[in-house]
Amino acid sequence: MRSLIDIKELTTQEIDELIVVAKDIIANPAKYSEKCKGKKLATLFYEASTRTRLSFEAAMYELGGNVLGFASSDNSSASKGESVADTVRVCSGYADIIAMRHPKEGAPLVASMHSLVPIINAGDGGHNHPTQTLTDLLTINREKGRFDNLVVGLCGDLKFGRTVHSLIGAMARYNNIKFVLISPDELKVPSYIKQELDKSNIEYVETRSLEEAIPELDILYMTRVQRERFFNEEDYLRLKDTYILNMSKLSKAKDDLSILHPLPRVNEISVEIDNDPRACYFEQALNGKYIRMALIMKLLGVE
Amino acid sequence: MILNTITNGVVLDHIQAGGAMEIYKALNLDKLECQVAIIKNADSVKMGKKDILKICEPIDINLDVLGYLAPGVTVSIIEDGTVVKRKHIEPPEKIVGIIKCTNPRCITSIEQELPNIFKLTDRENLVYRCIYCESKCKKQGDIK
Ligand SMILES: [Zn+2]
């Protein structure tokens, strides 16, 4: 029995296999509609995340399985002070696989130590969110048909954005990747990530200007710059527009740029871009369901 | 300085100069009834200056605590005036229940009964990380 707590637990070969299955699901959905018949997914969400939870639930239903669980800790055993270990010991008797979201870092790992069934980490605080990274990887692969020889731009909050950190870690394993890290000084990528890139001889540049960086990019991964990350309002107001993607900035980009965003978006991508063929963020959300279907099958050992 | 040699006991040698007191406290040597000598700033060919701890009783040393605090220390067990065992202490791969994770977002901050487990993730720089949240432990000062 195997869980997925951290994306680093998957080899590139296993990721490739998941992507092959996800693409086959997209091409032949009917073939998969009864793959998990009679199986149950428990969604244990100690913190509300409607988007992620619905994606997991839709994934299980499309595999012919069933779903049970809770959507926030308000009404659950957690609010009565039960430990993660105890909740999971009980729930793993009711379900064949568990997707857990928790505000505290490491809670899904604790769950995996006590569960009788596989645990999928559906986000633990600002720490790991492996199915988001798998979603990003499937999107890049579907858009580009490959993982190597790409210039990958990441823009916005690169300091606190965990999806950014995991994506850098995952993409750094492929050949000839160059990262362009676009952020204000206050929100630069943490130094330990840069040290890892240095150690592996992976090319990267840091810049404050999205406008200057955009022409060379193959992928642009946008994230939200949040007001609460700044010490004062002035800095936030001064900087926020610099990191908004609009038509004028996009006009300088390659024709085959792929724009990704983990969603929800606030204003960092203008709505005028939504209909541009380079916008991939809504397809990305859909890809999340397909890669979760592939992952559920893998962890349940369904062929 | 002249010190009686030990007949039965334990000697911790090659402690970084200035480090003896911390080890003294972490190993609870203050609770011992027997004689304990703390030697500060002894001359050392290898280290320039070093500290030494001499404990005049055959006690069990928690090698994980010692290896975490002071890798490189030599532990000598002395019986009837001769060294019967000498061990060079390496940093442990895993430390359980010795240091506490200080990350307020860590699951251990709300579930106190969970064992505090840290893994050595960078041997060169002696970095230990919490297995749950992967935070670096702040070296020293947070011994439980
Ligand atoms: Zn921790």
Side-chain angles (χ1 to χ4, degrees):
Chain A
M1 188 205 78
R2 192 172 164 192
S3 292
L4 179 63
I5 306 302
D6 181 338
I7 189 74
K8 295 194 286 288
E9 295 161 9
L10 293 173
T11 63
T12 51
Q13 195 195 334
E14 286 175 311
I15 289 175
D16 288 346
E17 287 162 10
L18 285 171
I19 283 173
V20 167
V21 173
K23 284 175 161 175
D24 195 52
I25 295 172
I26 295 165
N28 312 288
K31 200 172 120 190
Y32 292 86
S33 65
E34 296 199 335
K35 287 281 185 192
C36 289
K37 199 174 174 191
K39 306 254 187 223
K40 282 170 288 181
L41 164 77
T43 48
L44 309 185
F45 274 51
Y46 289 79
E47 138 187 281
S49 174
T50 308
R51 193 178 301 271
T52 304
R53 185 172 53 85
L54 294 185
S55 176
F56 269 106
E57 296 187 356
M60 193 56 172
Y61 283 127
E62 289 195 23
L63 290 168
N66 282 299
V67 175
L68 64 161
F70 52 85
S72 80
S73 62
D74 301 347
N75 277 316
S76 69
S77 52
S79 62
K80 299 184 186 81
E82 187 177 56
S83 69
V84 166
D86 284 3
T87 303
V88 153
R89 277 190 193 105
V90 172
C91 289
S92 62
Y94 301 152
D96 301 282
I97 187 165
I98 291 172
M100 175 183 283
R101 177 132 179 152
H102 200 290
K104 292 291 181 185
E105 300 173 4
L109 177 70
V110 173
S112 71
M113 293 165 160
H114 298 278
S115 177
L116 303 168
V117 302
I119 301 282
I120 301 174
N121 182 356
D124 57 339
H127 186 216
N128 283 318
H129 194 1
T131 57
Q132 178 66 53
T133 308
L134 287 174
T135 301
D136 300 341
L137 291 173
L138 174 59
T139 307
I140 290 171
N141 193 278
R142 287 188 71 195
E143 292 298 320
K144 298 298 178 206
R146 64 178 195 274
F147 283 128
D148 46 12
N149 303 308
L150 292 170
V151 179
V152 182
L154 301 118
C155 176
D157 179 356
L158 307 187
K159 184 175 181 183
F160 299 98
R162 66 175 168 196
T163 56
V164 167
H165 303 163
S166 329
L167 186 60
I168 292 175
M171 289 301 290
R173 300 197 284 187
Y174 298 100
N175 290 327
N176 197 21
I177 296 293
K178 177 182 175 183
F179 293 104
V180 182
L181 309 171
I182 310 153
S183 74
D185 288 340
E186 292 87 340
L187 297 175
K188 279 160 77 167
V189 165
S191 54
Y192 77 90
I193 289 179
K194 284 183 264 180
Q195 282 164 13
E196 277 167 28
L197 292 176
D198 286 333
K199 229 189 275 177
S200 316
N201 269 319
I202 292 160
E203 192 183 353
Y204 66 89
V205 288
E206 293 186 284
T207 171
R208 278 178 301 212
S209 171
L210 173 57
E211 196 153 5
E212 284 168 26
I214 206 167
E216 75 166 318
L217 304 180
D218 298 310
I219 309 276
L220 173 56
Y221 196 90
M222 293 293 296
T223 63
R224 191 146 57 99
V225 173
Q226 287 166 285
R227 189 179 299 249
E228 57 267 30
R229 300 299 189 202
F230 288 88
F231 289 116
N232 59 60
E233 187 77 7
E234 273 164 49
D235 284 349
Y236 170 72
L237 293 174
R238 177 170 55 82
L239 289 167
K240 71 173 171 68
D241 291 345
T242 323
Y243 302 98
I244 289 178
L245 182 62
N246 54 24
M247 264 309 174
S248 106
K249 288 187 191 111
L250 190 60
S251 67
K252 301 188 172 68
K254 287 185 186 172
D255 289 338
D256 65 348
L257 172 73
S258 304
I259 306 161
L260 279 71
H261 189 300
L263 302 181
R265 147 183 74 174
V266 179
N267 63 350
E268 56 279 8
I269 300 177
S270 312
V271 288
E272 59 184 358
I273 288 173
D274 293 355
N275 293 322
D276 191 286
R278 289 168 285 191
C280 305
Y281 29 93
F282 294 118
E283 285 96 330
Q284 186 183 358
L286 262 183
N287 286 334
K289 180 183 71 182
Y290 297 119
I291 201 75
R292 287 180 177 99
M293 290 170 75
L295 179 66
I296 289 168
M297 283 175 53
K298 178 183 170 69
L299 296 181
L300 285 176
V302 175
E303 290 289 307
Chain B
M1 187 159 69
I2 299 159
L3 272 170
N4 291 335
T5 46
I6 291 177
T7 326
N8 287 299
V10 185
V11 176
L12 308 183
D13 199 354
H14 303 111
I15 300 170
Q16 201 103 58
M21 269 322 280
E22 188 179 24
I23 295 171
Y24 180 83
K25 282 186 211 136
L27 295 178
N28 295 320
L29 302 185
D30 52 337
K31 310 242 161 66
L32 293 176
E33 298 286 336
C34 69
Q35 288 185 35
V36 178
I38 301 170
I39 301 158
K40 277 180 61 178
N41 299 323
D43 290 325
S44 163
V45 181
K46 211 167 61 179
M47 305 170 73
K49 297 271 181 210
K50 66 176 181 181
D51 288 2
I52 305 168
L53 282 166
K54 293 189 175 188
I55 304 144
C56 297
E57 203 171 79
I59 62 160
D60 278 334
I61 300 279
N62 186 331
L63 294 182
D64 282 351
V65 172
L66 191 62
Y68 164 67
L69 273 183
V73 163
T74 320
V75 179
S76 303
I77 311 289
I78 299 170
E79 280 175 30
D80 297 326
T82 52
V83 176
V84 294
K85 208 167 153 193
R86 177 167 281 156
K87 202 175 167 193
H88 187 75
I89 302 299
E90 296 285 337
E93 284 297 327
K94 191 165 123 179
I95 43 182
V96 180
I98 294 170
I99 41 173
K100 217 174 138 30
C101 183
T102 52
N103 173 9
R105 297 178 308 277
C106 180
I107 183 69
T108 57
S109 71
I110 55 164
E111 295 203 357
Q112 268 90 20
E113 72 284 1
L114 284 172
N116 272 280
I117 305 174
F118 283 76
K119 272 196 176 145
L120 181 61
T121 56
D122 178 352
R123 184 167 282 277
E124 206 177 312
N125 299 303
L126 294 176
V127 176
Y128 284 89
R129 287 183 187 276
C130 172
I131 63 157
Y132 306 104
C133 69
E134 295 178 272
S135 301
K136 257 191 224 181
C137 70
K138 311 248 181 323
K139 183 84 173 125
Q140 274 131 44
D142 50 4
I143 292 267
K144 266 208 259 192

